[in-house]
Amino acid sequence: MGNEINIPTIDVNIRVKAQQVIKDDQSSCTGELPVRRWKVELCMLNEKDEEVVLDIVSACIFYLHPTFKEPVRKFRQPPFMLEEEGWGEFDMDIVCHFIENVGKFTIKHLLSFEHNAIGIDYAIKVPCHTPLIREYLSKNFELPDATFDKEQEKTISQAQLKSWINLIPKLDEDSVTEIVQLILRHPAVQAEVNKRERHDDFVMGLYQLPNELLQTIGDYILHGNEQDDL
């Protein structure tokens, strides 16, 4: 496995759909721009370019122009749809968080009144290494295998991993901190962290850690418990 941790991803298109209409109940004054009702909604495109529910996202935050009374709007379930009214076009950031806390992505979208209705597609990469997000993605996409280290499968069983994990709550705070540092100091983990933006969130499964790192963690957990028993 070397000094790399491969988090499998797939390419997905997110569609931002916008609709707008000029309000009827307003006076027409020379030199004033008409006020419009508008809405913006997000969906996902499957492999056939069909619109499907954006169920791989747990929350979307819309950052509007600061002149709005509430310029930050958060939605926690699909459909991620924002409805508002105003006269001006502006750029908005839409920050979307994946389910299972595997990361987030940002769409920079221009709210334009050039068309009454329009859909604009944005290409993103979606991590597909955790169970729930794989389950949701598999309904609409062919997924790459969640690769395992074959040598790791031979030497460290799921039962061993589970037994080590069950011992962690029995360790003191310093020991738990040391385990975290063992993981963060490993070159493979550092290399993966360095690929990310500073404030990006992502999740690694235990099975993705190098075999020798898992063995070191297991030895430390067992050694710590042996010391406690002396």
Side-chain angles (χ1 to χ4, degrees):
M1 195 168 183
N3 284 341
E4 292 186 1
I5 299 175
N6 294 317
I7 294 181
T9 62
I10 64 169
D11 295 321
V12 173
N13 283 322
I14 303 299
R15 176 165 292 171
V16 179
K17 301 189 294 182
Q19 298 181 42
Q20 60 91 14
V21 63
I22 295 176
K23 290 182 63 175
D24 292 329
D25 54 342
Q26 59 182 312
S27 59
S28 179
C29 299
T30 303
E32 289 188 0
L33 294 174
V35 175
R36 303 166 188 264
R37 291 192 181 96
W38 55 265
K39 68 177 180 180
V40 174
E41 180 180 359
L42 274 65
C43 66
M44 180 170 62
L45 301 185
N46 64 15
E47 289 183 332
K48 299 178 181 179
D49 284 337
E50 299 167 333
E51 294 182 359
V52 294
V53 176
L54 186 56
D55 55 4
I56 60 172
V57 165
S58 61
C60 280
I61 307 171
F62 293 78
Y63 292 89
L64 308 182
H65 194 275
T67 53
F68 280 88
K69 185 176 181 180
E70 296 180 31
V72 180
R73 313 287 177 87
K74 186 171 186 177
F75 299 87
R76 294 187 177 276
Q77 61 184 18
F80 300 105
M81 182 172 65
L82 169 66
E83 296 184 87
E84 254 297 351
E85 60 181 50
W87 56 265
E89 300 178 339
F90 61 92
D91 291 307
M92 69 170 71
D93 283 354
I94 308 172
V95 179
C96 301
H97 295 260
F98 291 117
I99 59 175
E100 295 192 292
N101 296 316
V102 298
K104 62 185 177 181
F105 62 92
T106 300
I107 292 174
K108 295 185 178 296
H109 179 74
L110 170 64
L111 178 70
S112 171
F113 298 144
E114 182 178 357
H115 304 280
N116 290 333
I118 190 172
I120 300 178
D121 298 342
Y122 297 88
I124 66 167
K125 289 192 177 296
V126 180
C128 53
H129 62 295
T130 57
L132 187 59
I133 202 166
R134 287 185 69 84
E135 177 186 338
Y136 284 14
L137 285 170
S138 65
K139 295 183 293 185
N140 296 294
F141 303 95
E142 289 289 333
L143 300 180
D145 291 335
T147 56
F148 292 81
D149 185 338
K150 296 302 182 182
E151 185 64 24
Q152 177 172 312
E153 288 181 348
K154 296 177 183 177
T155 58
I156 299 179
S157 67
Q158 293 296 317
Q160 281 180 297
L161 285 176
K162 186 175 181 180
S163 67
W164 294 341
I165 292 170
N166 289 339
L167 289 173
I168 290 177
K170 300 178 182 179
L171 302 178
D172 58 30
E173 183 177 348
D174 290 340
S175 297
V176 174
T177 300
E178 179 59 27
I179 291 171
V180 173
Q181 291 303 314
L182 283 172
I183 295 172
L184 294 178
R185 287 196 299 261
H186 193 278
V189 177
Q190 290 182 356
E192 186 62 36
V193 170
N194 290 337
K195 296 177 186 177
R196 311 284 171 164
E197 295 294 332
R198 183 175 180 181
H199 299 295
D200 277 359
D201 300 321
F202 69 99
V203 173
M204 290 182 185
L206 276 178
Y207 66 83
Q208 292 175 281
L209 297 179
N211 182 66
E212 47 87 12
L213 174 56
L214 284 176
Q215 190 63 59
T216 299
I217 293 170
D219 290 343
Y220 182 86
I221 291 172
L222 296 175
H223 176 73
N225 278 278
E226 288 170 359
Q227 291 296 318
D228 291 342
D229 293 338
L230 294 178

